[in-house]
């Protein structure tokens, strides 16, 4: 799958491809993930610019994003986008430091959705065999 997806995202050299992938299954609109940031220390998203590549497969679902500390003039309403089968989305830069995102419950969605999220692990644990590579 990465051989098909990564060149479309601008990554032709496999040595530059993400080194981790998370897969989530949402069986229907009753399944969701609450407000969060992908700010785990192994990705370093609160300290440096990072890129997250997300592929949606299956049922169309809403994806929402909101600022952690909105300025007075900014709306506190989350921004939303509908992600359909085959849609790619990226979160880049310091998004994980300054924003949270979620996939809310949607009662009218009957079909399943699979989400593949590729990232670059940059801070390995001391015993990780990948530590020191790259």
């Amino acid at each position: 799958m990465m051989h098909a997806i990564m060149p479309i995202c601008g990554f032709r050299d496999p040595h530059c491809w993400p080194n981790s992938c998370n897969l989530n299954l949402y069986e229907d609109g009753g399944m969701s993930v609450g407000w969060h940031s992908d700010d785990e220390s192994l990705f370093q998203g609160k300290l440096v610019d990072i890129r997250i590549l997300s592929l949606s497969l299956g049922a169309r679902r809403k994806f929402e994003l909101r600022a952690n500390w909105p300025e007075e003039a900014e709306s506190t309403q989350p921004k939303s986008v509908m992600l359909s089968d085959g849609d790619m989305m990226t979160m880049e830069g310091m998004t994980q430091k300054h924003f949270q995102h979620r996939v809310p419950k949607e009662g009218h969605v009957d079909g399943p959705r699979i989400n593949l999220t590729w990232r670059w692990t940059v801070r390995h644990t001391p015993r990780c065999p990948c530590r020191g590579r790259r």
Side-chain angles (χ1 to χ4, degrees):
M1 183 178 276
M2 289 180 75
H3 284 275
I5 299 296
M6 291 304 129
I8 294 169
C9 295
F11 299 102
R12 304 216 184 292
D13 181 357
H15 292 98
C16 296
W17 290 357
N19 58 10
S20 67
C21 183
N22 187 51
L23 185 139
N24 287 307
L25 168 64
Y26 302 85
E27 293 178 358
D28 57 31
M31 295 187 79
S32 64
V33 62
W35 289 112
H36 71 285
S37 295
D38 295 342
D39 58 1
E40 296 88 348
S41 65
L42 66 155
F43 303 122
Q44 297 290 291
K46 284 190 169 184
L47 302 174
V48 297
D49 289 352
I50 65 168
R51 181 177 294 133
I52 297 173
L53 309 171
S54 177
L55 173 64
S56 293
L57 301 170
R60 187 171 190 244
R61 292 293 300 267
K62 184 185 293 186
F63 178 88
E64 295 182 326
L65 187 74
R66 71 177 182 191
N68 286 334
W69 312 282
E71 298 289 329
E72 279 187 39
E74 289 181 308
S75 170
T76 57
Q77 292 296 315
K79 306 294 184 204
S80 67
V81 62
M82 295 302 292
L83 297 174
S84 298
D85 185 37
D87 283 349
M88 286 289 303
M89 180 174 183
T90 68
M91 289 186 282
E92 301 184 28
M94 298 299 290
T95 302
Q96 303 312 309
K97 180 177 181 177
H98 297 287
F99 295 89
Q100 292 183 333
H101 56 278
R102 73 174 181 170
V103 176
K105 290 185 180 187
E106 296 178 88
H108 62 280
V109 176
D110 294 325
R113 172 186 182 248
I114 293 174
N115 175 253
L116 293 150
T117 305
W118 286 281
R119 296 177 249 196
W120 286 261
T121 300
V122 295
R123 184 174 183 219
H124 297 268
T125 60
R127 293 187 181 176
C128 178
C130 294
R131 187 177 176 99
R133 284 191 204 164
R134 292 179 101 67

